[in-house]
Amino acid sequence: SSENGVGYPTSIDISEIGQANVCYLYRYASEYSQVGEIRILPPFVRTAYPIEGVLLNAPFVLSIEGMALSDQDVVKLVQGSTCEGPISSRPYYAQIAVTDHPLRTKAQVTLTITGPGDYSDGFRKLCYSYDAGVTFSDTGFTITVRSPRADAALPTQLSLSALRKVSVFGDAISQGDRVKIIRQGATCYGTDDYDDVVLGGQGRELAVQNELPSDIGEEQWPVPVTQGNAQFLLPREDPAVLCYLHRDGAGWTPVVGRDGNEVEMSIRDT
């Protein structure tokens, strides 16, 4: 008050953003008088993590910090340089969960990064909406994406002219992933199922236990498995290597073991 110089905090429910006048009604005054101005800012995100090396097509928990966060807020990941780019997250709009009520400065959200992958780092822009997806703002954060890889296969010795199941292991085996067997010395590249394959080794889809939801846009994706399998019937002896193509991969890549060497396939008449 003006009598003793003590300030009294008050709470006001603000629903509009922009510049506003602060008005005060003195005791016994007949009308309000302006005592100042305030700038009303929208809720925003100031920190997000993790943002480096996030695995493509695998659900992960994104932690964010900001101001005035709400459980109704949503985020999305897009390709390109603006928030109008192609959506690259599942679900399309992921709703956050505030973890520090009543401060509302911290939240978490579970989502999956999807879309084209490459076998170096890809990039996804993080966009935030405080009005349930009506408008989105650029948070200034870009998430680097790591494409899944395959690192083992069993068995590596296949019998000639016998139908054999080959199990492939990796960090995120998903429905739609493919494998093929090519001549040793050839290079895994491109997306063609027949380039440099040994007879009977053309590309085929891996069978996996968990299928993607039919509505892949609105639903969260399942946690990927680490194993899938495909069957081959190889009628000729031929030293070979195994190639893997992730469902959103940029091209075939060799299955490289943890020792750093390509997984070799031996086709023999037993």
Side-chain angles (χ1 to χ4, degrees):
S1 71
S2 60
E3 297 177 357
N4 54 26
V6 177
Y8 295 94
T10 186
S11 176
I12 302 175
D13 186 14
I14 299 174
S15 59
E16 295 186 9
I17 295 168
Q19 200 76 16
N21 296 325
V22 178
C23 299
Y24 179 74
L25 181 63
Y26 292 94
R27 185 186 305 174
Y28 310 123
S30 60
E31 60 182 19
Y32 279 91
S33 59
Q34 182 176 337
V35 294
E37 295 181 348
I38 60 172
R39 184 184 178 192
I40 303 168
L41 300 175
F44 63 90
V45 172
R46 64 157 59 102
T47 303
Y49 55 92
I51 59 173
E52 295 183 359
V54 178
L55 188 62
L56 187 71
N57 287 351
F60 77 106
V61 176
L62 179 70
S63 297
I64 62 175
E65 295 182 8
M67 291 296 295
L69 303 177
S70 165
D71 291 328
Q72 304 304 313
D73 298 348
V74 296
V75 297
K76 68 176 180 178
L77 298 171
V78 300
Q79 302 169 49
S81 59
T82 71
C83 288
E84 285 70 47
I87 296 177
S88 188
S89 53
R90 300 293 184 271
Y92 289 146
Y93 298 167
Q95 192 168 330
I96 71 172
V98 176
T99 58
D100 69 339
H101 290 289
L103 298 178
R104 296 167 55 194
T105 61
K106 298 180 180 180
Q108 291 185 331
V109 57
T110 300
L111 68 166
T112 302
I113 301 179
T114 61
D118 53 24
Y119 288 86
S120 57
D121 285 336
F123 302 93
R124 302 292 189 273
K125 179 176 290 295
L126 175 64
C127 300
Y128 164 74
S129 172
Y130 63 85
D131 53 11
V134 177
T135 60
F136 279 90
S137 60
D138 185 349
T139 63
F141 293 99
T142 299
I143 296 177
T144 60
V145 181
R146 180 173 67 84
S147 294
R149 293 167 174 81
D151 57 19
L154 288 174
T156 57
Q157 294 187 0
L158 304 181
S159 301
L160 192 67
S161 298
L163 186 64
R164 293 299 302 270
K165 180 171 70 173
V166 177
S167 294
V168 177
F169 302 86
D171 48 15
I173 304 296
S174 302
Q175 180 184 353
D177 290 3
R178 302 180 70 78
V179 290
K180 69 177 180 179
I181 301 175
I182 67 170
R183 294 178 290 103
Q184 194 172 57
T187 302
C188 301
Y189 69 96
T191 57
D192 190 90
D193 281 346
Y194 289 86
D195 283 342
D196 298 314
V197 298
V198 300
L199 189 61
Q202 64 268 20
R204 59 206 62 200
E205 185 172 338
L206 287 171
V208 296
Q209 292 182 346
N210 59 343
E211 296 184 356
L212 296 177
S214 57
D215 187 355
I216 63 174
E218 297 300 326
E219 298 181 39
Q220 180 59 267
W221 283 26
V223 175
V225 296
T226 58
Q227 176 184 352
N229 61 78
Q231 292 185 325
F232 292 93
L233 179 62
L234 306 172
R236 188 172 65 195
E237 291 189 50
D238 208 344
V241 295
L242 191 64
C243 298
Y244 168 73
L245 178 65
H246 184 65
R247 58 172 285 120
D248 294 313
W252 290 98
T253 60
V255 178
V256 176
R258 296 180 181 178
D259 59 1
N261 297 318
E262 293 184 3
V263 174
E264 298 180 356
M265 308 295 291
S266 176
I267 306 163
R268 298 179 179 177
D269 187 357
T270 57

